[in-house]
Amino acid sequence: IVLEASGRLEALNIEEVFHQFHNFGQSELTDRHLRGTVYGQLAFVEASWSPQLQFLQKEFRMVSDLEIRDGALIAYAPVEALAGFIRVEELRNIKFSSLTNRIRIEDRTIHIPVMDVNSSAINLDLSGTHSFDNEVDYQVRVNMIDILQRKFSTRNKDKTFLEQSKEGGLNVYVSMIGSAAAP
């Protein structure tokens, strides 16, 4: 059995989507970690089942333009690995107003092109892959000036001392490669 489809997503609760689809058969990024409303366009979806009606993960393919509005990422261990740069408390409940990207799934791997993540904890660029076996290969770019400014701002309530230069700043590149499974 092969299903080919396209469609539009309008105001789906991401937590409920993950719950209804049993967290897509994985236990690392689950409905407990996500909040927000999903909008988007499913440009292409192809799913297959065997004659015994077993879902064939390796055959699943999808291309979609997604936007998550008023979202949050809650207590997600791979993100907490950035604790060397940011206080862990800030990484336990990361809120963002909008996150947009074109996501592609094929060969049991989610492909995430570079996207800007502007959140309550940090602003960064993220790209990479996340396999159905919870193997990750994330590339993250963080502006060090942004981190230092944020730390300075929380310690010094009077922000009259801060000035961001137009020259840019120092970027830190972080790679997260390996198992996303909790130890």
Side-chain angles (χ1 to χ4, degrees):
I1 300 171
V2 176
L3 168 70
E4 291 183 1
S6 62
R8 196 172 79 212
L9 305 174
E10 288 289 330
L12 296 177
N13 178 314
I14 194 167
E15 178 183 7
E16 189 62 26
V17 168
F18 269 68
H19 177 75
Q20 290 297 322
F21 283 93
H22 305 284
N23 293 307
F24 300 96
Q26 50 87 42
S27 60
E28 298 309 317
L29 181 60
T30 68
D31 54 15
R32 294 185 333 262
H33 301 108
L34 299 167
R35 300 293 180 274
T37 307
V38 179
Y39 297 82
Q41 188 71 33
L42 297 173
F44 176 78
V45 177
E46 182 179 276
S48 301
W49 289 263
S50 73
Q52 296 77 28
L53 298 180
Q54 291 178 313
F55 179 66
L56 303 174
Q57 282 187 348
K58 188 147 178 74
E59 303 296 319
F60 181 72
R61 297 185 312 150
M62 182 182 83
V63 176
S64 62
D65 295 310
L66 298 176
E67 178 184 12
I68 302 172
R69 297 180 192 167
D70 301 318
L73 185 61
I74 302 161
Y76 185 50
V79 172
E80 291 179 359
L82 293 172
F85 301 106
I86 306 165
R87 288 192 325 250
V88 173
E89 305 85 55
E90 292 177 332
L91 295 172
R92 288 204 174 110
N93 188 5
I94 299 173
K95 296 178 182 178
F96 53 90
S97 61
S98 179
L99 189 61
T100 304
N101 207 343
R102 173 166 268 217
I103 304 297
R104 181 174 49 89
I105 300 174
E106 65 183 349
D107 196 27
R108 301 185 71 239
T109 302
I110 302 165
H111 300 268
I112 305 165
V114 175
M115 67 178 164
D116 294 325
V117 179
N118 298 310
S119 71
S120 59
I122 190 170
N123 298 331
L124 52 84
D125 290 340
L126 171 84
S127 65
T129 59
H130 192 131
S131 80
F132 285 17
D133 296 320
N134 285 314
E135 292 295 318
V136 299
D137 184 353
Y138 292 141
Q139 308 306 311
V140 180
R141 183 186 64 81
V142 181
N143 185 289
M144 201 62 190
I145 301 303
D146 184 43
I147 293 170
L148 294 173
Q149 183 177 4
R150 197 176 291 267
K151 284 188 178 203
F152 182 80
S153 296
T154 57
R155 291 188 184 139
N156 301 293
K157 299 300 179 202
D158 184 0
K159 297 181 182 179
T160 58
F161 302 109
L162 300 176
E163 175 184 58
Q164 178 131 8
S165 72
K166 297 183 194 279
E167 290 82 38
L170 175 66
N171 290 322
V172 175
Y173 294 87
V174 179
S175 291
M176 292 186 270
I177 300 171
S179 176

mmCIF file of all heavy atoms in Angstrom, residues 81-124:
data_model
loop_
_atom_site.group_PDB
_atom_site.id
_atom_site.type_symbol
_atom_site.label_atom_id
_atom_site.label_comp_id
_atom_site.label_asym_id
_atom_site.label_seq_id
_atom_site.Cartn_x
_atom_site.Cartn_y
_atom_site.Cartn_z
ATOM 1 N N ALA A 81 22.825 20.643 26.351
ATOM 2 C CA ALA A 81 24.266 20.470 26.186
ATOM 3 C C ALA A 81 24.969 21.809 25.948
ATOM 4 O O ALA A 81 26.184 21.911 26.095
ATOM 5 C CB ALA A 81 24.557 19.517 25.033
ATOM 6 N N LEU A 82 24.216 22.843 25.583
ATOM 7 C CA LEU A 82 24.784 24.181 25.395
ATOM 8 C C LEU A 82 25.001 24.896 26.726
ATOM 9 O O LEU A 82 25.341 26.063 26.756
ATOM 10 C CB LEU A 82 23.867 25.030 24.509
ATOM 11 C CG LEU A 82 23.742 24.601 23.059
ATOM 12 C CD1 LEU A 82 22.656 25.415 22.364
ATOM 13 C CD2 LEU A 82 25.067 24.758 22.335
ATOM 14 N N ALA A 83 24.827 24.195 27.833
ATOM 15 C CA ALA A 83 24.920 24.802 29.159
ATOM 16 C C ALA A 83 26.274 25.448 29.429
ATOM 17 O O ALA A 83 26.391 26.266 30.327
ATOM 18 C CB ALA A 83 24.596 23.777 30.246
ATOM 19 N N GLY A 84 27.291 25.107 28.679
ATOM 20 C CA GLY A 84 28.575 25.768 28.841
ATOM 21 C C GLY A 84 28.522 27.229 28.448
ATOM 22 O O GLY A 84 29.350 28.020 28.853
ATOM 23 N N PHE A 85 27.515 27.602 27.650
ATOM 24 C CA PHE A 85 27.383 28.970 27.174
ATOM 25 C C PHE A 85 26.252 29.733 27.872
ATOM 26 O O PHE A 85 26.285 30.942 27.954
ATOM 27 C CB PHE A 85 27.102 28.979 25.666
ATOM 28 C CG PHE A 85 28.177 28.323 24.861
ATOM 29 C CD1 PHE A 85 27.972 27.072 24.304
ATOM 30 C CD2 PHE A 85 29.396 28.942 24.661
ATOM 31 C CE1 PHE A 85 28.958 26.462 23.564
ATOM 32 C CE2 PHE A 85 30.394 28.339 23.925
ATOM 33 C CZ PHE A 85 30.178 27.093 23.371
ATOM 34 N N ILE A 86 25.235 29.017 28.312
ATOM 35 C CA ILE A 86 24.025 29.647 28.840
ATOM 36 C C ILE A 86 23.621 28.932 30.119
ATOM 37 O O ILE A 86 23.842 27.735 30.258
ATOM 38 C CB ILE A 86 22.873 29.523 27.821
ATOM 39 C CG1 ILE A 86 23.319 30.078 26.487
ATOM 40 C CG2 ILE A 86 21.623 30.224 28.296
ATOM 41 C CD1 ILE A 86 22.410 29.685 25.371
ATOM 42 N N ARG A 87 22.993 29.651 31.047
ATOM 43 C CA ARG A 87 22.515 29.009 32.271
ATOM 44 C C ARG A 87 21.521 27.910 31.930
ATOM 45 O O ARG A 87 20.660 28.072 31.071
ATOM 46 C CB ARG A 87 21.833 30.043 33.167
ATOM 47 C CG ARG A 87 22.792 31.000 33.813
ATOM 48 C CD ARG A 87 22.120 31.809 34.910
ATOM 49 N NE ARG A 87 20.744 32.134 34.627
ATOM 50 C CZ ARG A 87 20.294 33.352 34.347
ATOM 51 N NH1 ARG A 87 21.124 34.363 34.293
ATOM 52 N NH2 ARG A 87 19.023 33.559 34.122
ATOM 53 N N VAL A 88 21.618 26.797 32.604
ATOM 54 C CA VAL A 88 20.770 25.638 32.340
ATOM 55 C C VAL A 88 19.291 25.990 32.522
ATOM 56 O O VAL A 88 18.447 25.533 31.761
ATOM 57 C CB VAL A 88 21.165 24.450 33.249
ATOM 58 C CG1 VAL A 88 20.178 23.304 33.104
ATOM 59 C CG2 VAL A 88 22.564 23.986 32.926
ATOM 60 N N GLU A 89 18.973 26.836 33.492
ATOM 61 C CA GLU A 89 17.565 27.203 33.714
ATOM 62 C C GLU A 89 16.942 27.810 32.450
ATOM 63 O O GLU A 89 15.789 27.573 32.131
ATOM 64 C CB GLU A 89 17.413 28.211 34.860
ATOM 65 C CG GLU A 89 18.017 27.792 36.176
ATOM 66 C CD GLU A 89 19.510 28.143 36.258
ATOM 67 O OE1 GLU A 89 19.903 29.308 36.067
ATOM 68 O OE2 GLU A 89 20.276 27.209 36.510
ATOM 69 N N GLU A 90 17.739 28.637 31.728
ATOM 70 C CA GLU A 90 17.240 29.266 30.508
ATOM 71 C C GLU A 90 17.004 28.246 29.404
ATOM 72 O O GLU A 90 16.174 28.449 28.525
ATOM 73 C CB GLU A 90 18.233 30.322 30.014
ATOM 74 C CG GLU A 90 18.347 31.520 30.917
ATOM 75 C CD GLU A 90 19.402 32.499 30.433
ATOM 76 O OE1 GLU A 90 20.363 32.069 29.773
ATOM 77 O OE2 GLU A 90 19.257 33.690 30.730
ATOM 78 N N LEU A 91 17.728 27.132 29.431
ATOM 79 C CA LEU A 91 17.615 26.118 28.389
ATOM 80 C C LEU A 91 16.512 25.102 28.664
ATOM 81 O O LEU A 91 16.193 24.296 27.809
ATOM 82 C CB LEU A 91 18.952 25.380 28.233
ATOM 83 C CG LEU A 91 20.102 26.234 27.727
ATOM 84 C CD1 LEU A 91 21.400 25.466 27.800
ATOM 85 C CD2 LEU A 91 19.829 26.719 26.321
ATOM 86 N N ARG A 92 15.924 25.131 29.851
ATOM 87 C CA ARG A 92 14.890 24.155 30.185
ATOM 88 C C ARG A 92 13.531 24.516 29.597
ATOM 89 O O ARG A 92 12.681 23.646 29.446
ATOM 90 C CB ARG A 92 14.792 24.009 31.704
ATOM 91 C CG ARG A 92 15.984 23.270 32.250
ATOM 92 C CD ARG A 92 15.702 22.604 33.572
ATOM 93 N NE ARG A 92 16.855 21.816 33.936
ATOM 94 C CZ ARG A 92 17.678 22.114 34.937
ATOM 95 N NH1 ARG A 92 17.451 23.175 35.677
ATOM 96 N NH2 ARG A 92 18.711 21.347 35.200
ATOM 97 N N ASN A 93 13.319 25.770 29.283
ATOM 98 C CA ASN A 93 12.040 26.184 28.691
ATOM 99 C C ASN A 93 12.334 27.315 27.707
ATOM 100 O O ASN A 93 12.223 28.481 28.042
ATOM 101 C CB ASN A 93 11.061 26.629 29.771
ATOM 102 C CG ASN A 93 9.676 26.874 29.210
ATOM 103 O OD1 ASN A 93 9.406 26.625 28.036
ATOM 104 N ND2 ASN A 93 8.788 27.371 30.041
ATOM 105 N N ILE A 94 12.705 26.928 26.487
ATOM 106 C CA ILE A 94 13.060 27.899 25.453
ATOM 107 C C ILE A 94 11.794 28.271 24.692
ATOM 108 O O ILE A 94 11.138 27.410 24.116
ATOM 109 C CB ILE A 94 14.105 27.312 24.490
ATOM 110 C CG1 ILE A 94 15.372 26.956 25.263
ATOM 111 C CG2 ILE A 94 14.387 28.280 23.360
ATOM 112 C CD1 ILE A 94 16.390 26.214 24.431
ATOM 113 N N LYS A 95 11.456 29.545 24.705
ATOM 114 C CA LYS A 95 10.251 30.023 24.023
ATOM 115 C C LYS A 95 10.642 30.815 22.783
ATOM 116 O O LYS A 95 11.642 31.522 22.783
ATOM 117 C CB LYS A 95 9.431 30.902 24.957
ATOM 118 C CG LYS A 95 8.914 30.144 26.161
ATOM 119 C CD LYS A 95 8.148 31.044 27.094
ATOM 120 C CE LYS A 95 7.700 30.253 28.303
ATOM 121 N NZ LYS A 95 7.003 31.082 29.268
ATOM 122 N N PHE A 96 9.822 30.691 21.729
ATOM 123 C CA PHE A 96 10.058 31.451 20.509
ATOM 124 C C PHE A 96 8.712 31.817 19.899
ATOM 125 O O PHE A 96 7.726 31.102 20.052
ATOM 126 C CB PHE A 96 10.927 30.672 19.511
ATOM 127 C CG PHE A 96 10.416 29.294 19.200
ATOM 128 C CD1 PHE A 96 9.539 29.078 18.155
ATOM 129 C CD2 PHE A 96 10.817 28.216 19.959
ATOM 130 C CE1 PHE A 96 9.063 27.812 17.874
ATOM 131 C CE2 PHE A 96 10.353 26.939 19.684
ATOM 132 C CZ PHE A 96 9.471 26.739 18.631
ATOM 133 N N SER A 97 8.676 32.964 19.222
ATOM 134 C CA SER A 97 7.413 33.414 18.635
ATOM 135 C C SER A 97 7.131 32.718 17.312
ATOM 136 O O SER A 97 5.992 32.383 17.013
ATOM 137 C CB SER A 97 7.394 34.929 18.460
ATOM 138 O OG SER A 97 8.443 35.320 17.597
ATOM 139 N N SER A 98 8.166 32.490 16.495
ATOM 140 C CA SER A 98 7.967 31.853 15.195
ATOM 141 C C SER A 98 9.247 31.149 14.758
ATOM 142 O O SER A 98 10.334 31.678 14.921
ATOM 143 C CB SER A 98 7.569 32.903 14.152
ATOM 144 O OG SER A 98 7.405 32.298 12.894
ATOM 145 N N LEU A 99 9.086 29.960 14.215
ATOM 146 C CA LEU A 99 10.197 29.175 13.699
ATOM 147 C C LEU A 99 9.746 28.601 12.361
ATOM 148 O O LEU A 99 8.731 27.917 12.288
ATOM 149 C CB LEU A 99 10.520 28.053 14.681
ATOM 150 C CG LEU A 99 11.766 27.234 14.471
ATOM 151 C CD1 LEU A 99 13.004 28.107 14.541
ATOM 152 C CD2 LEU A 99 11.845 26.148 15.526
ATOM 153 N N THR A 100 10.488 28.908 11.292
ATOM 154 C CA THR A 100 10.084 28.512 9.939
ATOM 155 C C THR A 100 11.232 27.793 9.245
ATOM 156 O O THR A 100 12.381 28.213 9.356
ATOM 157 C CB THR A 100 9.706 29.760 9.114
ATOM 158 O OG1 THR A 100 8.686 30.478 9.812
ATOM 159 C CG2 THR A 100 9.197 29.375 7.745
ATOM 160 N N ASN A 101 10.897 26.704 8.522
ATOM 161 C CA ASN A 101 11.915 25.997 7.767
ATOM 162 C C ASN A 101 11.268 25.007 6.802
ATOM 163 O O ASN A 101 10.093 24.670 6.942
ATOM 164 C CB ASN A 101 12.868 25.243 8.692
ATOM 165 C CG ASN A 101 14.236 25.048 8.090
ATOM 166 O OD1 ASN A 101 14.432 25.173 6.890
ATOM 167 N ND2 ASN A 101 15.193 24.732 8.934
ATOM 168 N N ARG A 102 12.056 24.561 5.840
ATOM 169 C CA ARG A 102 11.639 23.499 4.916
ATOM 170 C C ARG A 102 12.293 22.217 5.401
ATOM 171 O O ARG A 102 13.506 22.069 5.333
ATOM 172 C CB ARG A 102 12.073 23.795 3.488
ATOM 173 C CG ARG A 102 11.791 22.619 2.550
ATOM 174 C CD ARG A 102 11.899 23.010 1.134
ATOM 175 N NE ARG A 102 10.565 23.411 0.722
ATOM 176 C CZ ARG A 102 10.055 23.172 -0.472
ATOM 177 N NH1 ARG A 102 10.774 22.604 -1.401
ATOM 178 N NH2 ARG A 102 8.835 23.542 -0.758
ATOM 179 N N ILE A 103 11.494 21.307 5.881
ATOM 180 C CA ILE A 103 11.975 20.050 6.446
ATOM 181 C C ILE A 103 11.806 18.945 5.408
ATOM 182 O O ILE A 103 10.769 18.853 4.747
ATOM 183 C CB ILE A 103 11.183 19.684 7.726
ATOM 184 C CG1 ILE A 103 11.245 20.822 8.746
ATOM 185 C CG2 ILE A 103 11.669 18.368 8.315
ATOM 186 C CD1 ILE A 103 12.610 21.154 9.267
ATOM 187 N N ARG A 104 12.829 18.096 5.309
ATOM 188 C CA ARG A 104 12.777 16.966 4.378
ATOM 189 C C ARG A 104 13.073 15.702 5.161
ATOM 190 O O ARG A 104 14.008 15.660 5.969
ATOM 191 C CB ARG A 104 13.820 17.177 3.276
ATOM 192 C CG ARG A 104 13.862 16.105 2.229
ATOM 193 C CD ARG A 104 14.818 16.476 1.095
ATOM 194 N NE ARG A 104 16.118 16.925 1.504
ATOM 195 C CZ ARG A 104 17.177 16.123 1.707
ATOM 196 N NH1 ARG A 104 17.066 14.840 1.506
ATOM 197 N NH2 ARG A 104 18.332 16.630 2.068
ATOM 198 N N ILE A 105 12.258 14.666 4.924
ATOM 199 C CA ILE A 105 12.480 13.368 5.553
ATOM 200 C C ILE A 105 12.641 12.340 4.451
ATOM 201 O O ILE A 105 11.788 12.232 3.569
ATOM 202 C CB ILE A 105 11.300 12.959 6.467
ATOM 203 C CG1 ILE A 105 11.098 13.990 7.578
ATOM 204 C CG2 ILE A 105 11.542 11.564 7.049
ATOM 205 C CD1 ILE A 105 9.870 13.750 8.435
ATOM 206 N N GLU A 106 13.744 11.595 4.529
ATOM 207 C CA GLU A 106 13.944 10.468 3.625
ATOM 208 C C GLU A 106 14.991 9.548 4.234
ATOM 209 O O GLU A 106 15.834 9.993 5.016
ATOM 210 C CB GLU A 106 14.346 10.906 2.219
ATOM 211 C CG GLU A 106 15.679 11.578 2.111
ATOM 212 C CD GLU A 106 15.973 12.040 0.689
ATOM 213 O OE1 GLU A 106 15.262 11.665 -0.251
ATOM 214 O OE2 GLU A 106 16.929 12.795 0.532
ATOM 215 N N ASP A 107 14.921 8.280 3.892
ATOM 216 C CA ASP A 107 15.858 7.278 4.378
ATOM 217 C C ASP A 107 15.967 7.308 5.899
ATOM 218 O O ASP A 107 17.058 7.287 6.457
ATOM 219 C CB ASP A 107 17.233 7.470 3.713
ATOM 220 C CG ASP A 107 18.109 6.248 3.880
ATOM 221 O OD1 ASP A 107 17.563 5.130 4.012
ATOM 222 O OD2 ASP A 107 19.345 6.409 3.880
ATOM 223 N N ARG A 108 14.813 7.434 6.570
ATOM 224 C CA ARG A 108 14.731 7.424 8.037
ATOM 225 C C ARG A 108 15.521 8.550 8.694
ATOM 226 O O ARG A 108 15.975 8.436 9.818
ATOM 227 C CB ARG A 108 15.182 6.071 8.584
ATOM 228 C CG ARG A 108 14.354 4.903 8.077
ATOM 229 C CD ARG A 108 14.721 3.579 8.707
ATOM 230 N NE ARG A 108 14.271 3.575 10.091
ATOM 231 C CZ ARG A 108 15.098 3.411 11.133
ATOM 232 N NH1 ARG A 108 16.377 3.213 10.953
ATOM 233 N NH2 ARG A 108 14.621 3.426 12.359
ATOM 234 N N THR A 109 15.680 9.668 7.977
ATOM 235 C CA THR A 109 16.435 10.799 8.502
ATOM 236 C C THR A 109 15.698 12.105 8.229
ATOM 237 O O THR A 109 15.220 12.332 7.122
ATOM 238 C CB THR A 109 17.839 10.863 7.864
ATOM 239 O OG1 THR A 109 18.515 9.621 8.119
ATOM 240 C CG2 THR A 109 18.662 11.997 8.426
ATOM 241 N N ILE A 110 15.628 12.960 9.250
ATOM 242 C CA ILE A 110 15.048 14.294 9.121
ATOM 243 C C ILE A 110 16.192 15.244 8.775
ATOM 244 O O ILE A 110 17.184 15.327 9.508
ATOM 245 C CB ILE A 110 14.376 14.733 10.432
ATOM 246 C CG1 ILE A 110 13.297 13.727 10.832
ATOM 247 C CG2 ILE A 110 13.804 16.146 10.299
ATOM 248 C CD1 ILE A 110 12.825 13.878 12.264
ATOM 249 N N HIS A 111 16.051 15.949 7.665
ATOM 250 C CA HIS A 111 17.072 16.900 7.206
ATOM 251 C C HIS A 111 16.578 18.316 7.499
ATOM 252 O O HIS A 111 15.505 18.710 7.029
ATOM 253 C CB HIS A 111 17.326 16.730 5.710
ATOM 254 C CG HIS A 111 17.816 15.358 5.362
ATOM 255 N ND1 HIS A 111 19.152 15.035 5.299
ATOM 256 C CD2 HIS A 111 17.145 14.210 5.090
ATOM 257 C CE1 HIS A 111 19.281 13.767 4.991
ATOM 258 N NE2 HIS A 111 18.082 13.235 4.860
ATOM 259 N N ILE A 112 17.382 19.069 8.233
ATOM 260 C CA ILE A 112 17.006 20.418 8.655
ATOM 261 C C ILE A 112 17.992 21.410 8.041
ATOM 262 O O ILE A 112 19.153 21.475 8.465
ATOM 263 C CB ILE A 112 17.029 20.540 10.192
ATOM 264 C CG1 ILE A 112 16.151 19.462 10.817
ATOM 265 C CG2 ILE A 112 16.612 21.937 10.633
ATOM 266 C CD1 ILE A 112 16.388 19.257 12.300
ATOM 267 N N PRO A 113 17.555 22.198 7.042
ATOM 268 C CA PRO A 113 18.444 23.225 6.486
ATOM 269 C C PRO A 113 18.703 24.326 7.520
ATOM 270 O O PRO A 113 18.012 24.416 8.538
ATOM 271 C CB PRO A 113 17.651 23.792 5.306
ATOM 272 C CG PRO A 113 16.548 22.835 5.057
ATOM 273 C CD PRO A 113 16.282 22.135 6.347
ATOM 274 N N VAL A 114 19.674 25.170 7.255
ATOM 275 C CA VAL A 114 20.004 26.258 8.175
ATOM 276 C C VAL A 114 18.764 27.096 8.463
ATOM 277 O O VAL A 114 18.023 27.475 7.559
ATOM 278 C CB VAL A 114 21.107 27.164 7.588
ATOM 279 C CG1 VAL A 114 21.358 28.355 8.496
ATOM 280 C CG2 VAL A 114 22.386 26.382 7.385
ATOM 281 N N MET A 115 18.537 27.339 9.751
ATOM 282 C CA MET A 115 17.420 28.206 10.146
ATOM 283 C C MET A 115 17.855 29.074 11.311
ATOM 284 O O MET A 115 18.700 28.690 12.109
ATOM 285 C CB MET A 115 16.193 27.383 10.512
ATOM 286 C CG MET A 115 16.312 26.545 11.746
ATOM 287 S SD MET A 115 14.756 25.686 12.057
ATOM 288 C CE MET A 115 15.288 24.457 13.206
ATOM 289 N N ASP A 116 17.276 30.273 11.360
ATOM 290 C CA ASP A 116 17.502 31.189 12.469
ATOM 291 C C ASP A 116 16.549 30.818 13.595
ATOM 292 O O ASP A 116 15.342 30.690 13.366
ATOM 293 C CB ASP A 116 17.221 32.637 12.060
ATOM 294 C CG ASP A 116 18.197 33.140 11.018
ATOM 295 O OD1 ASP A 116 19.372 32.736 11.071
ATOM 296 O OD2 ASP A 116 17.781 33.927 10.152
ATOM 297 N N VAL A 117 17.090 30.665 14.788
ATOM 298 C CA VAL A 117 16.276 30.393 15.965
ATOM 299 C C VAL A 117 16.453 31.570 16.902
ATOM 300 O O VAL A 117 17.539 31.782 17.450
ATOM 301 C CB VAL A 117 16.697 29.078 16.668
ATOM 302 C CG1 VAL A 117 15.845 28.838 17.902
ATOM 303 C CG2 VAL A 117 16.620 27.904 15.704
ATOM 304 N N ASN A 118 15.406 32.368 17.046
ATOM 305 C CA ASN A 118 15.410 33.511 17.957
ATOM 306 C C ASN A 118 14.484 33.162 19.103
ATOM 307 O O ASN A 118 13.272 33.064 18.917
ATOM 308 C CB ASN A 118 14.942 34.774 17.237
ATOM 309 C CG ASN A 118 15.873 35.125 16.094
ATOM 310 O OD1 ASN A 118 17.078 35.182 16.266
ATOM 311 N ND2 ASN A 118 15.310 35.326 14.922
ATOM 312 N N SER A 119 15.074 32.959 20.283
ATOM 313 C CA SER A 119 14.285 32.451 21.400
ATOM 314 C C SER A 119 14.540 33.251 22.663
ATOM 315 O O SER A 119 15.363 34.158 22.688
ATOM 316 C CB SER A 119 14.649 30.985 21.655
ATOM 317 O OG SER A 119 15.940 30.898 22.215
ATOM 318 N N SER A 120 13.847 32.854 23.726
ATOM 319 C CA SER A 120 14.000 33.509 25.017
ATOM 320 C C SER A 120 15.371 33.249 25.630
ATOM 321 O O SER A 120 15.853 34.033 26.436
ATOM 322 C CB SER A 120 12.915 33.011 25.973
ATOM 323 O OG SER A 120 13.007 31.596 26.129
ATOM 324 N N ALA A 121 16.023 32.148 25.257
ATOM 325 C CA ALA A 121 17.312 31.799 25.848
ATOM 326 C C ALA A 121 18.487 32.295 25.025
ATOM 327 O O ALA A 121 19.486 32.754 25.580
ATOM 328 C CB ALA A 121 17.416 30.284 26.019
ATOM 329 N N ILE A 122 18.387 32.181 23.702
ATOM 330 C CA ILE A 122 19.529 32.486 22.854
ATOM 331 C C ILE A 122 19.085 32.607 21.409
ATOM 332 O O ILE A 122 18.073 32.026 21.018
ATOM 333 C CB ILE A 122 20.603 31.380 22.985
ATOM 334 C CG1 ILE A 122 21.910 31.797 22.311
ATOM 335 C CG2 ILE A 122 20.095 30.053 22.468
ATOM 336 C CD1 ILE A 122 23.063 30.873 22.591
ATOM 337 N N ASN A 123 19.824 33.365 20.635
ATOM 338 C CA ASN A 123 19.618 33.423 19.193
ATOM 339 C C ASN A 123 20.757 32.644 18.552
ATOM 340 O O ASN A 123 21.914 32.839 18.904
ATOM 341 C CB ASN A 123 19.608 34.866 18.702
ATOM 342 C CG ASN A 123 18.481 35.664 19.323
ATOM 343 O OD1 ASN A 123 17.438 35.120 19.665
ATOM 344 N ND2 ASN A 123 18.682 36.942 19.492
ATOM 345 N N LEU A 124 20.403 31.764 17.615
ATOM 346 C CA LEU A 124 21.419 30.938 16.987
ATOM 347 C C LEU A 124 20.968 30.494 15.608
ATOM 348 O O LEU A 124 19.805 30.653 15.249
ATOM 349 C CB LEU A 124 21.754 29.712 17.855
ATOM 350 C CG LEU A 124 20.595 28.826 18.351
ATOM 351 C CD1 LEU A 124 20.197 27.802 17.319
ATOM 352 C CD2 LEU A 124 21.015 28.129 19.626
#
